[in-house]
Amino acid sequence: MSKLMRSIDAVQIVKDGDTVAIGGFGPLGYPGQLVKALYLRNEAKDLHIALNAPNGMFLPTLDKLIDKRGRHLTTTFVRTSSAATRFFEEGRLSLTPQGTFAERLRAAGAGIPAFYTPVGVGTMVAEGKEIKEIHGKEYLMEEALVADVGFIQATKVDYDGNCYIEGSQKNFTTLVPAASKYTIVEAEQIVPVGEISPELVSVSGIYIDAIVKVGARNEQ
């Protein structure tokens, strides 16, 4: 069965209370058409939105989605997002170091429920979390970040869902699919199966459930 779908149809998988993980590195690799379709064409609310860094200046629709339909936000950076700033002030934001955010996604994909890290010990990041001493050093326990739905963007995608992702936009994007129960990819270009060399596959098609064709420049 074909994985090709329209964005309006693909985002209907999102339901009230879901955790939605969004790939990209700020505006780089940001799945703007999927976020826009979710905001305009799906009424799901009380969402837990997880992504590296919301940016209200470049990603205004994302800011509106967080503000109007979000219940909680997990992110690494808040300064340029008015919605993220408000969530922080209201105690509805989990601020996570970038490396920890990446490892939480990776752990989810590997089936690891939690892990210990020295990052964040003695800071606000550690508030309410278990701290354990191992070999004389304190470590913070972080839980895996499992998503119900993942949104990513890829440079090239074949009809089986195998993705080639170019440059720094793959920093978090490649971790989202395995951490998500259902993943939708925006494809800048769709190519025949076999055109993407195996060593250039950034995300295996087994993790991709739906493919949406978009242009290289998305509406934000």
Side-chain angles (χ1 to χ4, degrees), residues 101-123:
F101 181 73
E103 183 63 12
R104 289 183 68 193
L105 289 169
R106 191 200 69 81
I112 299 170
F115 59 92
Y116 287 100
T117 175
V119 178
V121 173
T123 72

Side-chain angles (χ1 to χ4, degrees), residues 50 86 88 111 117 120 127 129 141 153 185:
R86 182 171 67 81
F88 177 78
T117 175
E127 292 178 5
K129 298 175 183 176
M141 190 185 82
Q153 186 190 74
V185 59

Side-chain angles (χ1 to χ4, degrees), residues 82-161:
S82 59
T85 300
R86 182 171 67 81
F87 271 49
F88 177 78
E89 293 170 347
E90 294 175 356
R92 295 197 284 152
L93 183 144
S94 297
L95 195 59
T96 305
Q98 284 190 333
T100 301
F101 181 73
E103 183 63 12
R104 289 183 68 193
L105 289 169
R106 191 200 69 81
I112 299 170
F115 59 92
Y116 287 100
T117 175
V119 178
V121 173
T123 72
M124 63 180 296
V125 173
E127 292 178 5
K129 298 175 183 176
E130 176 189 333
I131 295 177
K132 184 174 183 178
E133 185 175 305
I134 303 175
H135 302 309
K137 186 173 181 177
E138 289 188 332
Y139 292 83
L140 183 66
M141 190 185 82
E142 293 280 1
E143 295 184 359
L145 179 51
V146 179
D148 296 291
V149 183
F151 289 175
I152 68 170
Q153 186 190 74
T155 311
K156 289 183 181 180
V157 181
D158 70 23
Y159 287 97
D160 280 346

Side-chain angles (χ1 to χ4, degrees), residues 70-83:
R71 166 181 51 85
H72 194 83
L73 176 64
T74 296
T75 190
T76 67
F77 192 79
V78 302
R79 190 173 64 191
T80 57
S81 168
S82 59

Side-chain angles (χ1 to χ4, degrees), residues 29-110:
Y30 166 69
Q33 184 162 311
L34 292 176
V35 171
K36 185 175 182 180
L38 177 59
Y39 179 65
L40 295 178
R41 304 298 183 183
N42 180 315
E43 297 182 357
K45 56 186 183 301
D46 297 325
L47 301 175
H48 173 196
I49 299 169
L51 76 163
N52 172 42
N55 189 317
M57 182 181 302
F58 297 107
L59 314 175
T61 303
L62 176 62
D63 229 32
K64 293 174 184 176
L65 177 67
I66 295 167
D67 184 53
K68 303 296 184 184
R69 312 262 284 287
R71 166 181 51 85
H72 194 83
L73 176 64
T74 296
T75 190
T76 67
F77 192 79
V78 302
R79 190 173 64 191
T80 57
S81 168
S82 59
T85 300
R86 182 171 67 81
F87 271 49
F88 177 78
E89 293 170 347
E90 294 175 356
R92 295 197 284 152
L93 183 144
S94 297
L95 195 59
T96 305
Q98 284 190 333
T100 301
F101 181 73
E103 183 63 12
R104 289 183 68 193
L105 289 169
R106 191 200 69 81

Side-chain angles (χ1 to χ4, degrees), residues 9 16 48 68 86 97 193 201:
D9 297 321
D16 291 355
H48 173 196
K68 303 296 184 184
R86 182 171 67 81
V193 175
V201 172

Side-chain angles (χ1 to χ4, degrees), residues 156-164 193 196 201 203-206 208:
K156 289 183 181 180
V157 181
D158 70 23
Y159 287 97
D160 280 346
N162 297 300
C163 304
Y164 165 65
V193 175
I196 302 174
V201 172
V203 175
S204 171
I206 63 173
I208 301 300

